[in-house]
């Protein structure tokens, strides 16, 4: 007997689990299966492992809060169905923990300073970021906080360590392929913001589908995901490309605006112009006609972001996650 104390890594290896799982068992935290907990407890008994006082003290120093920081300064944002569903998903997972959730609108310097103060004072154990734009200064603030950071959607500049996203590019491609399969050939698009990865990805999916079919991809107008911008962009397309017979719109809110513009212009949907949106928010079921759209699991995005953050806080190493999308065919196409 050498007298050397077994290490946390040796306990993890013996139990066949990660170091983070052992840490959660030692600190009596949630999100550990009964099977894993029994394996860890057995390994501790077999090896005679005794956790150090310092390690237990460090674990208990957590603040018991996480931040959802959204790169927006619009107070009406929380009435937006997309963000409301994401927050509902976050809350579903948070309810099973003893953590508190802080929401911070951080598109302005003042908002980013609020987040910086929270992190500098060690007021949070982790951060989730949402609605980032190209070269968003919010990224630098969050990454400087020395706590785990989970991204809702990838930033344009790089793939971060922890992120959850939907298959925006594949979903957009499937939408346009569907329009082509119904005989549409003069297909336009209303894009989302091109300084956001989600807007770029959906535009690329549209372009790929048209290119593979040998169709013209120059019928393009840009929006900002709002209903008003969808109506403006639709009018722009009608002015410049009056012969269009279909339009793929990068969000359901913009698609609702596009339907209004088409109705005002005397175009019938789907006979004259077929319309497909993206997201499948509740609005899609109540437009006239009801909206064919690409469903992304919005609430699941919030749930999986939160689960990933909890794993990272507990010293696990979660891998990035891409959620599937699904075309939902209704009356508009």
């Amino acid at each position: 007997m050498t007298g050397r104390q077994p290490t946390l890594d040796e306990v993890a290896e013996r139990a066949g689990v990660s170091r983070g799982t052992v840490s959660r068992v030692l600190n009596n935290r949630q999100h550990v299966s009964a099977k894993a907990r029994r394996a860890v407890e057995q390994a501790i008994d077999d090896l005679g492992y005794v956790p150090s006082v310092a390690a237990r003290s460090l674990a208990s120093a957590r603040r018991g809060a996480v931040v959802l920081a959204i790169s927006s300064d619009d107070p009406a944002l929380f009435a937006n169905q997309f963000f409301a569903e994401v927050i509902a998903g976050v809350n579903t997972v948070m309810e099973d923990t003893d953590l508190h959730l802080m929401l911070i609108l951080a598109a302005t310097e003042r908002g980013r300073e609020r987040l910086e103060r929270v992190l500098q004072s060690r007021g949070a154990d982790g951060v989730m970021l949402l609605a980032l734009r190209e070269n968003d200064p919010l990224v630098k603030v969050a990454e400087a906080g020395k706590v785990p950071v989970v991204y809702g959607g990838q930033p344009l500049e790089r793939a971060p360590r922890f992120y959850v996203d939907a298959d925006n590019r594949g979903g957009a491609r499937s939408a346009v392929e569907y329009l082509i399969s119904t005989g549409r050939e003069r297909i336009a698009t209303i894009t989302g913001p091109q300084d956001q990865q989600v807007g770029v990805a959906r535009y690329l999916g549209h372009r790929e589908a048209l290119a593979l079919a040998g169709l013209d991809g120059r019928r393009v107008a840009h929006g900002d995901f709002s209903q008003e911008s969808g109506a403006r962009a639709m009018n722009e397309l009608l002015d410049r490309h009056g012969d269009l017979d279909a339009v793929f719109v990068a969000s359901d809110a913009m698609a609702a605006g596009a339907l209004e513009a088409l109705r005002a212009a005397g175009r019938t949907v789907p006979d004259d112009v077929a319309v497909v949106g993206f997201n499948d928010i509740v609005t899609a079921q109540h437009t006239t006609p009801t909206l064919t759209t690409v469903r992304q699991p919005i609430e699941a995005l919030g749930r999986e972001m939160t689960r990933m953050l909890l794993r990272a806080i507990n010293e696990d190493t979660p891998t990035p996650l891409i959620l599937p999308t699904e075309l939902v065919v209704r009356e508009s196409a």
Side-chain angles (χ1 to χ4, degrees):
M1 189 75 171
T2 65
R4 183 183 70 82
Q5 289 293 322
T7 67
L8 196 69
D9 288 327
E10 289 170 336
V11 174
E13 183 178 0
R14 177 89 170 212
V17 299
S18 71
R19 178 188 174 95
T21 298
V22 176
S23 177
R24 287 199 297 277
V25 171
L26 290 172
N27 293 289
N28 198 29
R29 295 186 179 274
Q30 299 182 14
H31 301 290
V32 181
S33 69
K35 181 179 178 181
R37 189 177 295 277
R38 286 195 300 271
V40 170
E41 291 170 348
Q42 185 63 54
I44 288 171
D45 288 342
D46 292 345
L47 295 173
Y49 175 77
V50 178
S52 72
V53 174
R56 297 297 292 270
S57 175
L58 180 63
S60 65
R62 290 178 179 150
R63 298 303 177 187
V66 298
V67 176
L68 175 60
I70 303 176
S71 189
S72 171
D73 57 358
D74 183 3
L77 173 141
F78 296 112
N80 181 302
Q81 292 179 36
F82 174 85
F83 290 105
E85 287 190 41
V86 170
I87 293 168
V90 170
N91 188 61
T92 296
V93 177
M94 294 291 292
E95 284 182 343
D96 293 330
T97 75
D98 55 0
L99 295 170
H100 300 288
L101 176 65
M102 291 184 279
L103 294 172
I104 296 180
L105 298 184
T108 65
E109 185 66 29
R110 185 174 180 181
R112 290 188 291 272
E113 287 174 354
R114 286 182 61 209
L115 177 61
E116 190 171 24
R117 286 195 299 271
V118 168
L119 296 178
Q120 287 180 346
S121 66
R122 297 186 59 82
D125 300 310
V127 180
M128 293 175 282
L129 301 180
L130 203 58
L132 295 174
R133 298 186 178 274
E134 188 173 12
N135 298 314
D136 201 313
L138 181 57
V139 171
K140 185 176 181 180
V141 174
E143 295 285 358
K146 302 191 184 307
V147 296
V149 179
V150 171
Y151 292 72
Q154 302 176 60
L156 274 171
E157 302 79 31
R158 62 187 177 89
R161 186 180 182 192
F162 304 130
Y163 67 86
V164 181
D165 205 352
D167 184 12
N168 291 294
R169 190 166 179 168
R173 188 168 56 245
S174 70
V176 178
E177 287 172 346
Y178 170 75
L179 288 170
I180 294 169
S181 75
T182 63
R184 310 290 173 157
E185 296 182 343
R186 301 179 299 280
I187 302 170
T189 187
I190 298 174
T191 80
Q194 295 301 286
D195 62 350
Q196 288 185 311
Q197 191 272 346
V198 61
V200 171
R202 292 177 189 177
Y203 179 44
L204 290 176
H206 158 267
R207 287 180 56 185
E208 286 174 355
L210 291 183
L212 288 170
L215 296 177
D216 185 358
R218 291 175 293 180
R219 298 178 179 87
V220 179
H222 302 290
D224 60 12
F225 287 142
S226 70
Q227 184 166 334
E228 294 77 14
S229 74
R232 287 195 302 269
M234 191 70 249
N235 284 324
E236 180 184 336
L237 286 170
L238 290 173
D239 288 340
R240 293 193 286 112
H241 305 285
D243 65 339
L244 62 85
D245 61 6
V247 58
F248 165 63
V249 191
S251 79
D252 291 346
M254 291 196 301
L259 289 173
E260 291 177 357
L262 287 166
R263 187 161 47 248
R267 303 289 183 98
T268 61
V269 178
D271 294 340
D272 295 333
V273 181
V275 178
V276 178
F278 203 113
N279 284 333
D280 197 29
I281 59 175
V282 174
T283 298
Q285 302 175 43
H286 300 287
T287 56
T288 304
T290 56
L291 186 63
T292 295
T293 186
V294 178
R295 175 181 295 156
Q296 68 161 324
I298 304 172
E299 190 170 337
L301 179 69
R303 291 198 305 270
E304 296 304 329
M305 285 170 59
T306 312
R307 287 171 179 155
M308 185 173 290
L309 184 63
L310 293 176
R311 289 185 60 194
I313 289 171
N314 286 306
E315 300 177 7
D316 270 358
T317 53
T319 56
L321 179 63
I322 303 293
L323 301 173
T325 56
E326 174 191 4
L327 183 69
V328 180
V329 178
R330 296 194 180 97
E331 298 170 343
S332 68

